[in-house]
Amino acid sequence: MIIKPSAVIRKNYNEISEICKESGEPVYLTKNGEGDLVVMDIEAFTKRESMLRLRENLIVAEEGRMNGKPGYSIDDVSSLMKAAVQEVLDGKRK
């Protein structure tokens, strides 16, 4: 965990930016010794957000499965994917 006083971002934005990009981790900024802000590289943030959305979707799917919601077998998914690909190919031929 990287912790810096908030004055660092005012005085040396480039240093904070470089730390974020090199580490891929958030930098926690303090103000008067208390946590104030979190700064992170946009790529690391985007990746983290994607992972969180994926986890949320997996949890929803698992909850549905546990509650008896019908699912799809591997063969079902394979058939659905083949049909979707064929539909796209047929559409391009027209």
Side-chain angles (χ1 to χ4, degrees):
M1 179 183 308
I2 303 166
I3 301 173
K4 299 278 185 184
S6 62
V8 171
I9 200 162
R10 286 190 299 260
K11 293 178 183 176
N12 198 346
Y13 174 89
N14 290 334
E15 176 188 348
I16 297 296
S17 177
E18 188 175 316
I19 290 170
C20 290
K21 286 178 184 356
E22 286 179 2
S23 71
E25 296 293 319
V27 174
Y28 298 85
L29 301 176
T30 62
K31 184 176 182 179
N32 300 324
E34 300 284 326
D36 187 42
L37 297 171
V38 177
V39 180
M40 64 189 307
D41 176 60
I42 192 74
E43 288 181 27
F45 176 77
T46 301
K47 182 178 178 181
R48 183 176 289 220
E49 289 296 303
S50 294
M51 290 298 297
L52 288 172
R53 278 192 299 280
L54 175 60
R55 287 180 182 169
E56 288 172 8
N57 290 337
L58 290 172
I59 289 170
V60 168
E62 182 63 11
E63 287 173 345
R65 186 192 65 78
M66 291 174 67
N67 291 326
K69 184 177 179 182
Y72 297 96
S73 70
I74 292 174
D75 291 336
D76 292 338
V77 172
S78 180
S79 295
L80 290 168
M81 293 299 292
K82 286 177 184 175
V85 168
Q86 190 61 50
E87 185 177 319
V88 169
L89 291 174
D90 291 344
K92 287 184 178 182
R93 291 182 189 139
K94 292 180 180 182

